[in-house]
């Protein structure tokens, strides 16, 4: 099975359409369509559902994806190792970040790193810590800056971050220096990323806290802040995120204090590509400082 064809298929699934995948890989739209059709002929069954809104993996394709990702990963590592043996730095590093406050810093560090290693390219994506660590374990990304999660990855801690309660400015709880966790059960709760595993949901589950009323579900902290400003409820956020918000809301720590550890998750050293290893060393040093 040709790894370039597999890479084209993976790119199409990642981008969501053949047109965007063709643009990213430097194919013509008809060229990438023929490439994937040839791969489907080779395996003997359809790999993509094609529709007006893009492409999606068939059930049979889903079964093949882990092996395909591993093939493409190993082929890329072979190319990078061969380049490194010739004194060259090359390859692509995919980096995930959970915290928008770190995204700008990450972009600056990538730009600095590329001045020293211009042949190494990057993809930068965002997601929750749980989603990103799953992508890391499936070899879809190379490293991620997240809050700590369990799993077979290497962990480099950077800082301890506190969870805080976001409150409307006139809320009675703003008179307190800290808010007892149990009081969350009596509050209208603004759920950030409802139904997904986040630092907030993990904290509530670990403490067996069930808010009496879920006032709203939102997709980001800025929307949660707007609702809190309007007096619709309270929300949990990381202090790292709270420090970036500029709204008319108040923040109070929880009692007892609740913390998460932020750090870099990556594959074990023996499984990293040369480009990933070089960037991870640079990133760990810079972020630690």
């Amino acid at each position: 099975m040709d790894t370039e064809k597999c890479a084209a298929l993976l790119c199409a699934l990642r981008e969501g359409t053949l047109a965007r995948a063709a643009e990213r890989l430097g194919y013509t739209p008809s060229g990438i369509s023929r490439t994937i059709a040839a791969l489907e002929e080779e395996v003997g069954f359809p790999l993509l559902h094609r529709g007006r809104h893009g492409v999606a993996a068939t059930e049979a394709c889903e079964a093949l994806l882990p092996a395909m990702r591993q093939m493409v990963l190993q082929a890329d590592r072979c190319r990078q190792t061969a380049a490194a043996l010739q004194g060259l730095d090359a390859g692509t590093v995919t980096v995930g970040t959970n915290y928008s406050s770190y995204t700008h810093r990450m972009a600056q560090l990538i730009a600095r790193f590329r001045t020293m290693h211009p042949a190494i390219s990057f993809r930068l994506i965002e997601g929750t810590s749980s989603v990103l660590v799953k992508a890391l374990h499936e070899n879809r990304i190379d490293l991620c800056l997240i809050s700590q999660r369990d799993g077979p990855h290497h962990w480099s801690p950077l800082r301890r971050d506190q969870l805080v309660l976001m409150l409307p400015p006139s809320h009675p709880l703003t008179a307190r220096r800290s808010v007892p966790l149990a009081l969350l059960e009596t509050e209208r709760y603004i759920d950030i990323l409802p139904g997904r595993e986040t630092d907030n949901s993990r904290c509530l589950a670990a403490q067996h806290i069930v808010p009496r009323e879920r006032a709203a579900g939102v997709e980001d902290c800025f929307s949660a802040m707007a609702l809190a400003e309007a007096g619709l409820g309270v929300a949990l956020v990381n202090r790292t995120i709270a420090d970036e918000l500029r709204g008319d809301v108040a923040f109070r720590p929880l009692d007892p204090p609740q913390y998460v550890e932020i750090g870099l998750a990556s594959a074990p050293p023996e499984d990293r590509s040369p480009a990933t290893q070089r960037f991870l060393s640079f990133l760990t040093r810079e972020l630690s400082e």
Side-chain angles (χ1 to χ4, degrees):
M1 189 177 294
D2 187 281
T3 57
E4 294 299 326
K5 293 175 185 173
C6 292
L9 173 73
L10 294 175
C11 185
L13 291 172
R14 189 169 60 244
E15 297 295 326
T17 70
L18 293 180
R20 286 201 295 267
E23 183 178 355
R24 177 170 290 277
L25 295 174
Y27 285 73
T28 63
S30 60
I32 196 166
S33 184
R34 288 195 302 271
T35 297
I36 293 176
L39 183 59
E40 290 177 319
E41 184 177 352
E42 183 178 346
V43 298
F45 46 77
L47 295 169
L48 293 179
H49 294 298
R50 297 165 172 83
R52 288 191 306 166
H53 301 296
V55 295
T58 63
E59 186 176 350
C61 180
E62 290 283 359
L64 282 177
L65 286 179
M68 286 187 177
R69 291 192 184 107
Q70 193 64 30
M71 285 175 56
V72 172
L73 177 71
Q74 293 303 329
D76 185 57
R77 286 176 180 168
C78 283
R79 285 190 291 269
Q80 290 189 37
T81 302
L85 290 171
Q86 299 177 69
L88 304 173
D89 293 319
T92 299
V93 181
T94 302
V95 182
T97 62
N98 179 30
Y99 302 101
S100 57
S101 54
Y102 274 101
T103 302
H104 181 66
R105 175 71 170 143
M106 184 71 74
Q108 290 178 322
L109 291 174
I110 287 172
R112 279 182 52 197
F113 182 83
R114 290 208 69 217
T115 62
M116 299 179 285
H117 308 282
I120 296 178
S121 60
F122 286 85
R123 290 180 62 242
L124 184 60
I125 63 175
E126 294 186 348
T128 66
S129 294
S130 296
V131 166
L132 290 174
V133 81
K134 182 175 185 291
L136 176 68
H137 296 160
E138 294 176 350
N139 298 314
R140 291 186 282 120
I141 63 176
D142 297 299
L143 59 98
C144 49
L145 195 155
I146 59 173
S147 56
Q148 190 172 24
R149 295 291 188 269
D150 295 331
H153 54 263
H154 181 266
W155 179 249
S156 301
L158 295 174
R159 61 171 292 187
R160 194 167 72 146
D161 196 25
Q162 189 174 27
L163 293 181
V164 295
L165 190 65
M166 179 194 294
L167 298 157
S170 59
H171 197 289
L173 289 178
T174 59
R176 293 175 174 263
R177 296 182 63 180
S178 61
V179 178
L181 262 170
L183 289 184
L184 283 179
E185 293 189 317
T186 66
E187 294 297 319
R188 289 179 298 168
Y189 184 66
I190 300 167
D191 198 356
I192 302 171
L193 299 175
R196 281 160 276 187
E197 186 179 69
T198 63
D199 293 340
N200 302 340
S201 69
R202 285 162 61 93
C203 171
L204 294 180
Q207 299 298 324
H208 307 290
I209 300 293
V210 180
R212 69 174 174 86
E213 178 187 345
R214 294 188 184 267
V218 297
E219 292 298 306
D220 58 72
C221 293
F222 295 99
S223 299
M225 181 177 66
L227 294 179
E229 281 182 320
L232 294 181
V234 304
L236 280 175
V237 295
N238 296 73
R239 172 61 73 181
T240 293
I241 295 171
D243 290 343
E244 296 291 315
L245 298 175
R246 298 290 182 267
D248 186 17
V249 292
F251 297 100
R252 294 293 183 271
L254 299 169
D255 181 22
Q258 301 296 306
Y259 294 95
V260 297
E261 187 174 74
I262 295 176
L264 292 167
S266 59
E270 63 272 15
D271 293 333
R272 295 174 199 151
S273 68
T276 297
Q277 179 59 59
R278 189 176 291 274
F279 180 64
L280 181 62
S281 299
F282 168 83
L283 194 60
T284 302
R285 182 176 66 253
E286 293 295 322
L287 290 176
S288 296
E289 292 175 359

